Amino acid sequence: SRLPCNPTGIHACVDGSDRHFTGRIVEVSRTGIQLQIDEAVPLGSVMTVELGGTVLTGAVRHCEFRDEHFTVGIQTSDVWYR
């Protein structure tokens, strides 16, 4: 099940590129997260997302323009803590 969350600021990047983003997490589930960022990200891209001392990686499963931002769904594959 998906859980809305208080918007939490994040820093994210697309692995293997120099594309970096700031945005926020807007939803969390057992298998993934949903971000709001200002740019589109290709489906299948692997992103690394940092929030506080937590780092997540995962594949982009959807990306759509909604409410002046891009909503990006990431299926997380790894989580670690700094």
Side-chain angles (χ1 to χ4, degrees), residues 3-13 20-28 32-39 41 47-52 56 62 64 66-74:
L3 302 171
C5 62
N6 289 331
T8 302
I10 57 98
H11 295 282
C13 64
H20 291 264
F21 310 93
T22 57
R24 57 191 192 151
I25 292 178
V26 293
E27 202 172 78
V28 176
I33 58 174
Q34 188 174 91
L35 307 179
Q36 274 187 347
I37 58 177
D38 290 332
E39 295 181 49
V41 179
M47 292 188 76
T48 298
V49 180
E50 295 183 40
L51 59 147
L56 306 106
H62 73 84
E64 63 182 50
R66 185 190 308 164
D67 299 327
E68 301 180 10
H69 300 281
F70 286 92
T71 299
V72 178
I74 299 173

